Amino acid sequence: MTLLTGAQIFVESLYKEGVEIIFGYPGGKVIPIYDVLYDSKFKHIMPHHEQGGIHAADGYARSTGKVGVCLTTSGPGATNLVTGLATAYMDSVPIVAFTGQVPRAMLGTDAFQEADITGITTPITKHNYLVQDVKDLSRIIKEAFHIAKTGRPGPVLIDIPKDVLQEEAEFVYPNKINLPGYKPNYEGHELQIKEAAKAINESKNPVIYSGGGVIISEASDELRELAKKANIPVTTTLTGLGAFNERDELSLGMLGMHGTTEANLAISNADLLIAIGSRFDDRVTGKLDTFAKDAKIIHIDIDPAEVGKRKLVDIPIVGDVKRILTILNKVVEEKDRSEWLALIDNWRKLDEVSQVRKDKKKLSPKEIIEAIDELTQGEALITTEVGQHQMWAAQFYKYTKPRSFMTSGGLGTMGYGFPAAVGVQVGNKDSVVFALAGDGSFQMNVQELATVAKNKLPLNIVIFNNGYLGMVRQWQEMFYDRRYSSVCLKMQESCPPGCSSPGDHCPVTTPDFVKLAEAYGIKAKRITKAEEIRPALEEAINSPHPYLLDFIIEEEENVFPMVPPGGSLDNMVLKEEA
Ligand SMILES: Cc1ncc(C[n+]2csc(CCOP(=O)(O)OP(=O)(O)O)c2C)c(N)n1
């Protein structure tokens, strides 16, 4: 019988799971693993902050559909994962996160670099484990991967004490899983599916409200079939973008707070809402009792806890979206819905109103994103941070395929997008990848420029530089009487109190992003004129190296349409007040 150490078992188990890439950062409690990794076949990407590592694993998972794997040491290494775990948990992303832990005998003694990471992460992981015996390690790893990727996916954490990594046991990788308390229901109730088909066949003004769950269950083809067969318009959530080709005439784009006019008005006037793999998030519904107020509601979701959680549903169907849509498509009838579609077309025209610019002196974010869209024909893989640029990226890029838009929808994590793009590029070597960032968000995980440079990742980093924490400034402008409190990124002590007009005259306190990129050995350019937008983007896309583009955009450009917080979807603010 050959005995392996816990660290060797870790590596062998990951081979069995087909893992190819680990995003990891070393430290005292995981040195035994690093010692084994020294001779291993894994690609190991070292971020420059553990938060960067877990977001990279997340971007890898969202863009490839595989499980993302990250590894950190105990204590601060482990706690640096918290934001990344919560981000993945809220958006149902499969990740297995490994953390080192102090030796078993020292647990609970406030030992050096001890943190109760299983306690800390209980509410933000799908499941977590503290490995107490090396003999359990391979079984736990097998279970963790199973839990992370099945049912409603999510992050699972495995905490391994250092002495468990050093102890020996026989290596047996189990063939079977035995988790009596965990049995996701994939099938969907047949009678309910028939009910749903009947409701669809009878409806005049139906709308499909499709969420990230459609992408997760790889059900885009089935969604298209349903929409096309029955002529039903489709709106998607932020994390659902790409589930339905936005260049299709049935696409309504995104719904919700910054959704399109046609999507929000279609929902408000629908007689039937078909919610698929979506969870009635408050940014989507606005005021709950007026959301789809005249509609019968069908809700298809793998997670029974989501059905009826926020909104009462007429026809609940719990199960795998792909399987359910496959059955549903057989019983749904072809139908002409041209009157309803014509009405929606009229609402579409209102979008033009929202996109009128305040000031034409500086670059418009819309122009930049539309240029990216044209140059890449909706084929690029795009990540964003959180803020106005995130909403512009959702509104102006026309996503054509699933797994092409990676953004923190549920938690809204600034600092997510740039490191996530690292994982996206690593997992999709031949794809054109864009990391779109605000000048505020980019500074939250800016250290990953080193990871990009070292690994020669040909990322296109685009900064929408407005000198502000733009989205917060927009709220202060619209709802707090333009009292710009702590949103100016150029502000310093010598500024006049109450200043609300930062501009080119201000001292520079945000870093010069071009110089910063160059300090890491990354090519970079600042763009200030409209005619420079396309050539700069082309140069970046065609370059085999990473490239950072710093676009100086209009400081006070806002995102419209906007449903004011707590408002109804049919009460959008369409444009800037005169
Ligand atoms: C970690 C984190 N802290 C704070 C916030 C709150 N927040 C949401 S948007 C935003 C401003 C983002 O500014 P920037 O990255 O410059 O993007 P812009 O809105 O200007 O496009 C802030 C502070 C957040 N979402 N995440």
Side-chain angles (χ1 to χ4, degrees):
M1 183 171 68
T2 350
L3 296 178
L4 299 186
T5 63
Q8 288 167 327
I9 290 174
F10 165 91
V11 164
E12 292 303 322
S13 303
L14 294 201
Y15 284 149
K16 293 275 186 199
E17 286 297 328
V19 173
E20 288 161 356
I21 293 163
I22 300 174
F23 299 91
Y25 202 98
K29 307 301 182 296
V30 286
I31 292 178
I33 290 182
Y34 275 85
D35 191 54
V36 184
L37 285 180
Y38 191 79
D39 304 311
S40 81
K41 291 186 288 226
F42 294 115
K43 188 172 176 64
H44 180 272
I45 302 271
M46 193 193 92
H48 286 69
H49 186 299
E50 289 87 353
Q51 187 187 351
I54 186 160
H55 290 327
D58 175 312
Y60 173 86
R62 290 194 210 217
S63 62
T64 62
K66 300 177 190 165
V67 177
V69 175
C70 64
L71 166 66
T72 74
T73 194
S74 66
T79 55
N80 276 346
L81 295 184
V82 167
T83 304
L85 289 168
T87 303
Y89 185 67
M90 292 284 271
D91 290 343
S92 312
V93 182
I95 287 179
V96 176
F98 293 93
T99 48
Q101 183 53 280
V102 301
R104 281 166 295 180
M106 298 181 80
L107 281 169
T109 66
D110 292 337
F112 177 65
Q113 295 196 324
E114 180 183 8
D116 173 11
I117 197 64
T118 45
I120 292 168
T121 62
T122 297
I124 51 167
T125 48
K126 189 170 170 188
H127 194 57
N128 65 24
Y129 295 90
L130 170 63
V131 185
Q132 305 268 16
D133 187 331
V134 68
K135 290 193 209 75
D136 296 333
L137 184 57
S138 57
R139 171 186 56 80
I140 286 175
I141 293 177
K142 171 110 182 163
E143 286 175 9
F145 275 84
H146 177 74
I147 294 170
K149 65 189 174 196
T150 53
R152 178 181 183 164
V156 179
L157 182 134
I158 305 179
D159 196 26
I160 319 177
K162 186 171 183 176
D163 56 328
V164 171
L165 291 173
Q166 290 161 324
E167 258 181 24
E168 293 184 332
E170 189 187 356
F171 176 62
V172 187
Y173 206 65
N175 302 322
K176 279 206 188 126
I177 301 252
N178 180 20
L179 290 168
Y182 178 69
K183 296 257 180 302
N185 172 16
Y186 294 101
E187 295 310 325
H189 198 286
E190 219 172 294
L191 283 179
Q192 293 294 87
I193 299 175
K194 278 200 183 131
E195 272 290 296
K198 184 163 170 277
I200 293 172
N201 294 339
E202 283 170 2
S203 75
K204 278 204 161 110
N205 304 342
V207 177
I208 295 173
Y209 148 41
S210 132
V214 174
I215 296 175
I216 292 168
S217 87
E218 310 278 355
S220 287
D221 289 346
E222 290 74 12
L223 171 66
R224 190 178 55 243
E225 196 184 327
L226 173 64
K228 289 292 188 187
K229 189 172 179 191
N231 265 312
I232 307 175
V234 181
T235 173
T236 78
T237 64
L238 183 68
T239 50
L241 285 170
F244 190 74
N245 184 351
E246 293 203 280
R247 284 171 158 78
D248 193 292
E249 57 197 6
L250 286 172
S251 168
L252 303 176
M254 183 174 74
L255 80 163
M257 181 175 274
H258 291 296
T260 64
T261 322
E262 62 271 28
N264 287 347
L265 292 183
I267 295 272
S268 305
N269 290 278
D271 65 355
L272 178 72
L273 184 71
I274 311 159
I276 314 177
S278 48
R279 60 185 178 87
F280 295 80
D281 173 68
D282 55 298
R283 280 278 159 124
V284 161
T285 62
K287 193 165 183 244
L288 203 54
D289 30 325
T290 56
F291 179 72
K293 56 184 181 310
D294 301 322
K296 198 174 209 184
I297 300 181
I298 301 170
H299 190 185
I300 306 172
D301 205 285
I302 186 82
D303 184 353
E306 285 301 343
V307 181
K309 183 178 93 179
R310 297 202 69 233
K311 183 99 182 159
L312 270 185
V313 172
D314 300 283
I315 308 174
I317 310 175
V318 174
D320 174 53
V321 166
K322 191 180 178 82
R323 290 193 201 191
I324 291 163
L325 289 185
T326 307
I327 306 170
L328 192 61
N329 283 336
K330 292 188 185 129
V331 267
V332 159
E333 290 164 7
E334 287 181 27
K335 202 144 188 177
D336 172 45
R337 290 193 163 92
S338 41
E339 251 178 68
W340 174 225
L341 296 175
L343 191 60
I344 288 175
D345 255 347
N346 279 337
W347 293 329
R348 247 189 204 115
K349 292 181 193 124
L350 289 170
D351 284 335
E352 298 297 317
V353 180
S354 304
Q355 310 308 338
V356 176
R357 297 205 46 216
K358 212 179 196 174
D359 182 337
K360 294 211 168 60
K361 284 202 290 287
K362 296 225 167 122
L363 300 180
S364 122
K366 180 173 189 268
E367 264 177 81
I368 299 165
I369 294 171
E370 284 181 346
I372 299 174
D373 185 59
E374 258 180 63
L375 291 169
T376 61
Q377 282 301 300
E379 292 285 319
L381 307 184
I382 300 213
T383 73
T384 76
E385 304 290 337
V386 172
Q388 292 181 309
H389 66 280
Q390 179 191 31
M391 293 301 128
W392 290 320
Q395 293 177 331
F396 304 136
Y397 195 85
K398 299 287 166 246
Y399 300 90
T400 59
K401 54 182 188 194
R403 304 197 181 282
S404 59
F405 183 56
M406 277 55 68
T407 197
S408 169
L411 198 67
T413 309
M414 287 170 75
Y416 166 81
F418 175 42
V422 167
V424 173
Q425 187 78 78
V426 169
N428 303 269
K429 279 209 298 294
D430 301 324
S431 298
V432 174
V433 180
F434 271 87
L436 309 184
D439 46 343
S441 300
F442 188 64
Q443 295 184 68
M444 286 221 170
N445 272 313
V446 68
Q447 75 287 342
E448 300 309 327
L449 281 168
T451 315
V452 170
K454 273 190 199 168
N455 292 283
K456 300 192 169 47
L457 303 174
L459 274 186
N460 304 292
I461 304 159
V462 167
I463 298 181
F464 292 81
N465 192 338
N466 54 11
Y468 277 120
L469 298 175
M471 188 56 100
V472 182
R473 186 207 54 74
Q474 176 169 345
W475 283 49
Q476 289 177 347
E477 177 183 332
M478 293 176 70
F479 312 116
Y480 292 85
D481 209 14
R482 276 189 116 241
R483 286 158 57 86
Y484 290 173
S485 179
S486 294
V487 287
C488 177
L489 291 165
K490 296 181 175 172
M491 194 173 72
Q492 35 181 266
E493 236 181 296
S494 55
C495 291
C499 165
S500 61
S501 60
D504 300 335
H505 55 276
C506 296
V508 176
T509 49
T510 37
D512 177 331
F513 292 113
V514 172
K515 282 191 188 149
L516 187 64
E518 285 169 355
Y520 283 98
I522 292 175
K523 263 193 158 183
K525 209 172 229 169
R526 178 164 303 113
I527 296 97
T528 54
K529 298 197 186 78
E531 61 272 22
E532 296 167 347
I533 295 177
R534 272 175 151 270
L537 285 168
E538 273 169 331
E539 189 173 336
I541 292 170
N542 294 330
S543 159
H545 306 294
Y547 217 119
L548 181 146
L549 298 173
D550 181 24
F551 288 96
I552 308 301
I553 62 164
E554 162 58 36
E555 283 101 354
E556 298 195 62
E557 182 107 8
N558 288 336
V559 187
F560 289 109
M562 178 175 194
V563 178
S568 299
L569 289 199
D570 57 355
N571 242 329
M572 286 164 279
V573 181
L574 283 184
K575 59 181 171 79
E576 205 80 56
E577 277 179 23

